[in-house]
Amino acid sequence: AYDAALARAPDDPMAKIGAAWVKLDSGSGYESAINDLKTLGIDRADGAPARDPASPGRDASGTKDAGRVTAWGSLVASGLLARLGQPSPAEAALAKARQLRLGEPRFVVRIALAELGLGQVARAAAMRERLYFADAWQDDPLIAVLDAELFLARGLPKEALGALGKTEGVRASLLRARAYLDTGESRLAQAEADRARERAPEHEEAKAYQALARVTARASERSALRTLAQLEKSSRSPLVTFLAAEAYLSAGRTPEAMARFARARTGHALAYRALTEMARHYLAAGESDKGAPLITEAVTLAPGYPPAQSLLGRYYLRGGQADKAREVLEHVVAGGQGTVEDELFLAEALVANKAI
């Protein structure tokens, strides 16, 4: 549709922005999309179009609707920059888009998804709250994707699958792959990653999910790790690095996994999980001083993620703060997402509090 619009009107700024969205969603061609946006003047660090000095009401694209072009252009630039491993410019572009306060419901949804793309789960959840009053949008596929992402960040993969329903598309397939990995169903995860590749053959993250699923399924593990190593060389996506870290951890190659988690601790939708895994490693090694800041950062990004909350409770307990440990661990266990270990640590906290 955007190609047809560009064919009819090659200088239409919104058609160019739409074409950039298509490249972002296809998982490839990020650099060319950025270059296309530069023709609109969207090449500054904050993603905003340059002003046309000859006409203050216009931007460099020549459109009178400068505010809308700036908002949408900054927003898609944020997503592209994030995929290119440039979180600071991506944050700046997203801040510009937020600042313009475009009231279109689809724009609000895309803002929330962009927040998630940079690992800002709490901010995305706050944006979602604004959409409950947009009744006509509750069945939109983008809402389903947003809700699924938020369920995953609360450790609820089955609910994420339910939110997606029959939603089609690359992103929906990759979210299903993530959910199935979280439930331990590697074969189903690989099938969803395969579907994503059918729609977007060059999608870097789809390729990484395929390889990760093979590693967790113990199928062609060495070949899958080689694929991930090649992807890491060609991709700048921090999510690809994170998925490679998960694969190495699953393969029992912890040092290699931790090195990758450290490189993937910011700038992608699962950053809170990278931080959690690093914190878990340090706490297990008795290095609480290194683990504590990582736990705090993970909980700040994704307050509802049970594994991070669990580690926070254990950290409190080790530090002699049994009252805080009890509060956190009771919340995890009462939510039905606690492990046997969480229940044991909770019992220890209750004893220390003389509550049993």
Side-chain angles (χ1 to χ4, degrees):
Y2 292 115
D3 289 341
L6 285 171
R8 291 192 301 271
D11 295 324
D12 184 334
M14 292 308 296
K16 288 184 179 181
I17 289 170
W21 276 113
V22 170
K23 289 182 179 178
L24 178 61
D25 291 340
S26 73
S28 61
Y30 307 141
E31 292 278 9
S32 65
I34 287 288
N35 289 333
D36 290 342
L37 291 176
K38 286 180 179 179
T39 65
L40 302 178
I42 302 175
D43 57 356
R44 288 166 29 196
D46 63 1
R51 297 289 103 192
D52 181 350
S55 180
R58 297 173 182 261
D59 60 28
S61 69
T63 180
K64 291 181 179 179
D65 197 6
R68 191 164 185 264
V69 171
T70 300
W72 279 104
S74 298
L75 184 51
V76 71
S78 175
L80 293 164
L81 290 165
R83 294 280 183 88
L84 288 168
Q86 301 179 43
S88 295
E91 283 276 8
L94 181 55
K96 170 61 71 174
R98 280 198 307 266
Q99 178 186 343
L100 291 164
R101 300 179 182 276
L102 198 63
E104 301 169 24
R106 181 172 289 271
F107 184 79
V108 177
V109 180
R110 285 285 193 180
I111 285 277
L113 289 170
E115 297 281 16
L116 281 169
L118 287 167
Q120 298 291 344
V121 178
R123 293 200 316 223
M127 296 296 295
R128 177 64 176 98
E129 291 293 326
R130 291 177 52 186
L131 292 161
Y132 282 111
F133 301 101
D135 294 338
W137 280 81
Q138 298 313 306
D139 294 327
D140 189 271
L142 280 180
I143 290 283
V145 166
L146 174 58
D147 286 345
E149 291 261 27
L150 292 173
F151 276 128
L152 288 171
R154 289 165 53 197
L156 298 169
K158 292 182 179 179
E159 286 79 357
L161 290 168
L164 287 169
K166 296 181 179 180
T167 303
E168 297 291 335
V170 173
R171 192 161 188 171
S173 290
L174 293 182
L175 285 172
R176 288 191 188 92
R178 178 76 262 170
Y180 284 129
L181 285 169
D182 287 357
T183 60
E185 298 173 276
S186 300
R187 299 292 184 184
L188 291 176
Q190 184 170 350
E192 289 296 339
D194 290 346
R195 289 190 185 94
R197 286 288 307 282
E198 288 171 6
R199 291 175 176 269
E202 299 306 315
H203 201 294
E204 299 170 341
E205 291 156 12
K207 293 178 183 179
Y209 266 116
Q210 281 181 314
L212 173 57
R214 283 161 53 199
V215 172
T216 58
R218 301 294 179 263
S220 306
E221 183 177 291
R222 289 184 180 179
S223 172
L225 290 174
R226 283 197 298 271
T227 296
L228 286 165
Q230 291 167 357
L231 277 172
E232 287 184 274
K233 290 178 181 178
S234 62
S235 172
R236 285 190 271 166
S237 165
L239 182 56
V240 168
T241 303
F242 172 79
L243 296 173
E246 285 194 305
Y248 280 101
L249 189 64
S250 177
R253 295 165 62 169
T254 302
E256 291 156 289
M258 290 303 130
R260 286 166 172 79
F261 282 133
R263 295 201 299 270
R265 58 182 291 174
T266 61
H268 63 95
L270 301 177
Y272 63 93
R273 297 193 183 204
L275 293 162
T276 300
E277 290 303 329
M278 291 170 65
R280 190 192 314 280
H281 174 73
Y282 283 125
L283 289 184
E287 298 181 81
S288 296
D289 58 326
K290 293 182 179 179
L294 297 169
I295 297 170
T296 301
E297 194 175 346
V299 170
T300 300
L301 287 177
Y305 187 52
Q309 289 283 345
S310 172
L311 288 178
L312 180 62
R314 297 179 195 189
Y315 170 72
Y316 282 145
L317 190 58
R318 288 184 181 183
Q321 301 180 71
D323 53 340
K324 289 185 176 181
R326 174 189 173 184
E327 181 181 350
V328 172
L329 291 169
E330 277 184 336
H331 178 75
V332 174
V333 172
Q337 295 170 278
T339 64
V340 172
E341 278 190 332
D342 291 330
E343 293 178 1
L344 291 173
F345 280 114
L346 175 58
E348 187 178 338
L350 290 170
V351 169
N353 273 289
K354 299 181 180 178
I356 57 174

